[in-house]
Amino acid sequence: MKEQKIYDRVRALGHEPIEGTAIIVTRTPESILQGVVEFAMQTDRFELMVCAEDAVLLFKLNNLTNDIRTSASYRCISREDILSANTELADAGMTRRIRITTDEGDVLLNAQHESTSGLRTSGLWGSWHAANLPRACDEICRMGSGAKEAM
């Protein structure tokens, strides 16, 4: 998937993307059982996260076409709705966990660490994931009031 195509899609939806923030994420499962089921099913497992000037956008990805799923709506978390946000290392440093807190609760996401993503699933979507992950994490932390990155 071409990174510029992602930003063009975001603009077409009326948002101004922050270039260099598109990354591949997965939802953090609420339980081990849910994690096993999601891994086995592989459906809707991966999402594309893009920071925009006014929001964080989450798009479902199509595993078969290696593209944004056009049949699914996207989730828009408005910058004003973000109460706090932070990132931390998880899974023995293999993953960056992203937590975005809103009035509706926490959105927990996992992003494969940039140093290993080329060998893992996120590298299949595009080499831009590894290059963009540090900036995306910085932007997420800036969106949360008083949020800090624990690295």
Side-chain angles (χ1 to χ4, degrees), residues 90-103:
D91 303 327
M94 299 288 286
T95 302
R96 287 201 193 198
R97 182 141 311 128
I98 301 167
R99 178 186 304 268
I100 302 170
T101 303
T102 69
D103 283 336

Side-chain angles (χ1 to χ4, degrees), residues 9-78:
R9 172 85 184 264
V10 170
R11 284 186 188 94
L13 293 169
H15 302 278
E16 185 55 37
I18 300 172
E19 303 247 349
T21 63
I23 59 172
I24 304 298
V25 297
T26 59
R27 299 280 174 147
T28 303
E30 294 176 15
S31 68
I32 293 174
L33 179 59
Q34 181 183 4
V36 170
V37 169
E38 287 176 5
F39 182 79
M41 299 293 293
Q42 292 293 317
T43 55
D44 292 337
R45 183 168 156 75
F46 296 97
E47 295 182 52
L48 172 69
M49 186 191 86
V50 181
C51 297
E53 294 295 336
D54 62 336
V56 174
L57 308 174
L58 292 165
F59 299 91
K60 295 286 185 188
L61 293 173
N62 187 324
N63 294 342
L64 299 175
T65 62
N66 230 20
D67 207 349
I68 295 171
R69 184 173 292 172
T70 56
S71 62
S73 61
Y74 68 99
R75 179 165 184 192
C76 177
I77 305 171
S78 172

